[in-house]
Amino acid sequence: MIIHFIISGETLESIAEEIHLDNPEYLKEYHNRYCAKEDYIYDQLIPRKKLLIPEMDKIQEYNSRNDAPFKKVVLNPELTFAPEHKERKYRVTITETHEKEKGDSKSSDIAYSVTLQWVKKDLDTHTFHLSKEDFYTENESKMFGLAIECIQSLHPFQITTDSKGEILNISLLPGVIKNFGKAKERLTDLFPDPYAARYIEDFEYVLSNQKLFDERMKQDTFLRIYFSGLRNGFKNGKSYFRQSISDENVPVIIQQTIEDEDYTDEVDLLLNLSKSETQDPVEYDGTYTVTIEDGMIKTAWIKYSISRFGVKYTTRIAVDELF
């Protein structure tokens, strides 16, 4: 056996995970069998006290019993992605808040509807058409109106995903670029000032460069949340996927668990931050409700924040299916 001195904050679960013991109850059972009476563990671990840890052969014996709670089938669902012939419409609300250490803060909201229509399947890829409409914000400006008119001139644009629903590429339909000349004339008439003209020129440049268009669109908040790796395989009650957050595209790894074992047609997934690839403080949590039949999202609620130079930037995203 190995003698371990308990550190503040450690739990049976955290130590069991560190030594690759599936069921933490066996860690308590092993310790209580061999420890002195005064070191007996009942519920919580006590810092600075001794904990007796089994050797690897004993850990393997325990694991062979395959009875850890997180190994239940309901906690390790196989989320398939079968969107064939489906069309979904969602209402999306995004709130961004900038909060300074002094307590000053400002926020902005934007809401819009998304129509997502499955088009075809080729081998292990799916193709969708996506449109955004019904935009709303309390702080509407002329440039906001221009941005909305520009993006709506592209509808629908095309999204190709892999078999799990993660984006491979985003592209324009063949006629969009060809017809943008007419759209550009209309936009110039609606927004005649020089700042708008520069925005329209930059927008047209992005459209003419497929690689750049794909890169820009993959930074869209809704697309990053909706077409995430949430259907990655579960193991030991957990699933992980990589995602980018904030305008700086900070890479994070998200952990998923099942919120309630008693699901049938829909499953609720709890999301928490597992790892961040930045030194800046990052927070992340949320939920997905996914339909078991086709693996498509019914609702999503995500909140993440990153703190930099004394300012905390927080984004809240709510996605609700419309009926």
Side-chain angles (χ1 to χ4, degrees):
M1 68 179 65
I2 301 169
I3 298 176
H4 171 76
F5 287 91
I6 300 166
I7 300 172
S8 180
E10 284 187 319
T11 63
L12 287 170
E13 289 76 14
S14 67
I15 296 174
E17 185 172 356
E18 186 174 340
I19 65 174
H20 305 292
L21 174 64
D22 290 344
N23 194 338
E25 284 299 312
Y26 289 129
L27 183 56
K28 181 169 71 172
E29 176 188 296
Y30 181 88
H31 172 85
N32 289 343
R33 178 179 297 175
Y34 297 105
C35 72
K37 186 176 181 180
E38 60 270 18
D39 292 327
Y40 201 86
I41 293 175
Y42 293 93
D43 294 308
Q44 303 296 323
L45 297 184
I46 301 175
R48 295 184 297 277
K49 293 199 71 172
K50 291 187 295 184
L51 176 69
L52 304 181
I53 294 176
E55 299 281 358
M56 183 54 65
D57 57 345
K58 189 63 178 179
I59 291 174
Q60 291 174 348
E61 178 190 328
Y62 284 140
N63 288 346
S64 68
R65 300 178 186 180
N66 206 36
D67 60 355
F70 54 68
K71 287 185 175 290
K72 294 180 181 179
V73 174
V74 292
L75 296 181
N76 297 275
E78 184 176 345
L79 298 178
T80 59
F81 189 55
E84 288 89 336
H85 312 292
K86 300 294 176 62
E87 181 175 336
R88 295 285 189 271
K89 190 167 184 176
Y90 300 93
R91 189 63 178 171
V92 181
T93 304
I94 302 172
T95 302
E96 295 185 338
T97 303
H98 300 172
E99 185 177 3
K100 297 182 179 179
E101 290 180 345
K102 296 179 180 179
D104 299 332
S105 67
K106 62 178 181 178
S107 63
S108 60
D109 298 272
I110 182 173
Y112 52 85
S113 299
V114 172
T115 299
L116 182 65
Q117 181 181 19
W118 180 88
V119 177
K120 64 179 179 177
K121 180 179 180 180
D122 291 317
L123 298 177
D124 292 328
T125 67
H126 292 281
T127 300
F128 297 87
H129 285 173
L130 186 145
S131 301
K132 296 182 179 181
E133 56 189 359
D134 301 326
F135 284 84
Y136 170 79
T137 180
E138 292 183 349
N139 305 313
E140 187 168 349
S141 64
K142 182 179 291 187
M143 292 307 293
F144 174 82
L146 173 59
I148 299 310
E149 289 290 338
C150 285
I151 197 68
Q152 289 186 328
S153 70
L154 309 181
H155 290 165
F157 51 87
Q158 187 164 278
I159 297 174
T160 303
T161 75
D162 61 16
S163 60
K164 293 183 178 181
E166 292 189 66
I167 291 179
L168 296 175
N169 62 72
I170 303 174
S171 59
L172 295 166
L173 296 179
V176 171
I177 299 177
K178 182 179 179 181
N179 297 328
F180 188 72
K182 294 181 180 179
K184 182 178 178 180
E185 291 179 6
R186 186 178 67 84
L187 291 170
T188 302
D189 290 338
L190 289 172
F191 304 92
D193 63 87
Y195 296 104
R198 180 176 297 178
Y199 183 95
I200 295 169
E201 291 294 333
D202 291 343
F203 188 79
E204 185 176 26
Y205 175 75
V206 173
L207 300 188
S208 65
N209 187 320
Q210 169 54 37
K211 182 179 179 181
L212 182 58
F213 178 77
D214 176 73
E215 291 175 353
R216 292 282 182 88
M217 292 304 297
K218 285 179 179 176
Q219 296 175 19
D220 179 86
T221 301
F222 168 76
L223 297 181
R224 289 195 295 197
I225 295 299
Y226 191 89
F227 293 100
S228 65
L230 65 96
R231 300 169 194 86
N232 285 350
F234 277 77
K235 183 179 180 182
N236 295 336
K238 299 176 182 177
S239 173
Y240 298 88
F241 64 88
R242 180 179 290 271
Q243 192 172 76
S244 295
I245 62 171
S246 83
D247 294 338
E248 291 81 16
N249 293 315
V250 174
V252 295
I253 297 177
I254 305 303
Q255 174 188 284
Q256 293 187 134
T257 55
I258 304 301
E259 181 175 22
D260 186 354
E261 298 181 24
D262 298 324
Y263 60 85
T264 52
D265 299 330
E266 301 169 356
V267 59
D268 294 328
L269 306 174
L270 290 179
L271 281 66
N272 295 102
L273 180 68
S274 175
K275 182 180 179 182
S276 169
E277 298 181 15
T278 177
Q279 298 299 316
D280 299 309
V282 174
E283 300 173 13
Y284 189 111
D285 64 272
T287 61
Y288 282 119
T289 298
V290 180
T291 306
I292 295 294
E293 179 187 15
D294 53 27
M296 296 187 74
I297 293 173
K298 186 173 182 180
T299 64
W301 180 87
I302 306 294
K303 174 187 173 183
Y304 56 77
S305 64
I306 181 168
S307 299
R308 283 182 170 164
F309 307 112
V311 181
K312 185 176 184 179
Y313 302 90
T314 301
T315 301
R316 296 175 177 85
I317 308 108
V319 179
D320 297 287
E321 184 177 7
L322 299 176
F323 298 95

